[in-house]
Amino acid sequence: MNRFSRRRLGIVAGGTAAALGIGTTDAAASGGRKGPRPTEVRFNLPPGNTNPSIANGVAVGSMVAVYTSSGLGPAAANPSAPAGSPEQYVDLSLFPGGTLPTGVTITEAQAWNTLTRIVDNLTTVGLHPRDVITMKCYLKRPAGAADADYAGWNRAYRQFFANVNLGTGAPIPVPTGTGAPAPAKIINPARPARATLEVAGLAVPGWLIEIEVQATYH
């Protein structure tokens, strides 16, 4: 069996979802089972939605190995910015031409930086963003803003996660800043169960975001 069907077979929501290893916990479809099989990872996805951003939850079988990352924030990648400023943690090399695309916020740019570090973290232990099952994101409000930048964070998130139509299997273009939708940074069907919280501060001066994930070996 392939790497998805062996561990993530689940109770699937159609043929494309089966190929992507995405399952649901619909009681009728599952035949009343109360929990996942020992080697199963079963996602509870919003019914009737082929493009949800996150899962409602995820159940993990008792024989599935789980990796938990530490919380990661953006790397200091802009030496021309003042030390400890949010701009210090913007990695311009991630964007075409080494400049921020139109409308990209500082939180959005830091999220690109942080999610790239998450990908690198997963790679060191033999995992991929599609293996992520849960995510926690902590956002700090930018100076002068009324709230944390949830919109910027969600745009960056879609560049790395939840950008494949679960009904057709087709990649879904996503915007960067205020630009037109374009192919995502990483094509990835995974919809982790996710929480996003606004916090008063983060450990590193200048950070506006910190992310931790759980991923499964399968």
Side-chain angles (χ1 to χ4, degrees), residues 7 23 65 67 77 96 163:
R7 294 293 193 191
Y67 172 76
N163 52 48

Side-chain angles (χ1 to χ4, degrees), residues 161-177:
F161 292 89
N163 52 48
V164 172
N165 185 298
L166 298 182
T168 66
I172 299 171
V174 293
T176 301

Side-chain angles (χ1 to χ4, degrees), residues 114-202:
T114 305
L115 288 167
T116 299
R117 295 190 72 200
I118 290 288
V119 173
D120 292 343
N121 181 289
L122 293 169
T123 300
T124 64
V125 293
L127 293 169
H128 185 275
R130 65 175 169 265
D131 301 315
V132 172
I133 60 168
T134 70
M135 176 182 294
K136 290 182 181 178
C137 177
Y138 306 91
L139 296 179
K140 181 181 176 182
R141 184 182 308 177
D147 294 294
D149 183 11
Y150 294 97
W153 153 236
N154 283 322
R155 287 194 300 271
Y157 167 83
R158 287 278 196 173
Q159 293 285 343
F160 294 78
F161 292 89
N163 52 48
V164 172
N165 185 298
L166 298 182
T168 66
I172 299 171
V174 293
T176 301
T178 55
K185 174 76 172 177
I186 295 177
I187 304 301
N188 182 10
R191 270 81 175 170
R194 196 190 82 180
T196 302
L197 304 87
E198 181 176 337
V199 295
L202 293 167

Side-chain angles (χ1 to χ4, degrees), residues 3-216:
R3 65 194 301 265
F4 285 114
S5 62
R6 178 162 53 88
R7 294 293 193 191
R8 283 191 169 183
L9 180 59
I11 303 302
V12 296
T16 299
L20 298 175
I22 303 298
T24 72
T25 55
D26 179 75
S30 67
R33 287 187 296 112
K34 293 185 178 180
R37 292 184 292 274
T39 59
E40 180 185 8
V41 175
R42 191 196 307 165
F43 291 86
N44 178 11
L45 295 172
N49 187 346
T50 60
N51 187 29
S53 61
I54 62 175
N56 290 334
V58 59
V60 180
S62 60
M63 294 178 63
V64 177
V66 177
Y67 172 76
T68 302
S69 79
S70 291
L72 292 174
N78 185 2
S80 65
S85 68
E87 289 75 14
Q88 184 184 15
Y89 297 95
V90 172
D91 187 350
L92 296 174
S93 72
L94 298 176
F95 303 99
T99 58
L100 284 185
T102 302
V104 172
T105 65
I106 298 299
T107 297
E108 184 176 357
Q110 284 200 10
W112 272 69
N113 186 335
T114 305
L115 288 167
T116 299
R117 295 190 72 200
I118 290 288
V119 173
D120 292 343
N121 181 289
L122 293 169
T123 300
T124 64
V125 293
L127 293 169
H128 185 275
R130 65 175 169 265
D131 301 315
V132 172
I133 60 168
T134 70
M135 176 182 294
K136 290 182 181 178
C137 177
Y138 306 91
L139 296 179
K140 181 181 176 182
R141 184 182 308 177
D147 294 294
D149 183 11
Y150 294 97
W153 153 236
N154 283 322
R155 287 194 300 271
Y157 167 83
R158 287 278 196 173
Q159 293 285 343
F160 294 78
F161 292 89
N163 52 48
V164 172
N165 185 298
L166 298 182
T168 66
I172 299 171
V174 293
T176 301
T178 55
K185 174 76 172 177
I186 295 177
I187 304 301
N188 182 10
R191 270 81 175 170
R194 196 190 82 180
T196 302
L197 304 87
E198 181 176 337
V199 295
L202 293 167
V204 178
W207 277 12
L208 298 178
I209 187 168
E210 184 172 345
I211 300 170
E212 61 181 274
V213 300
Q214 285 191 320
T216 58

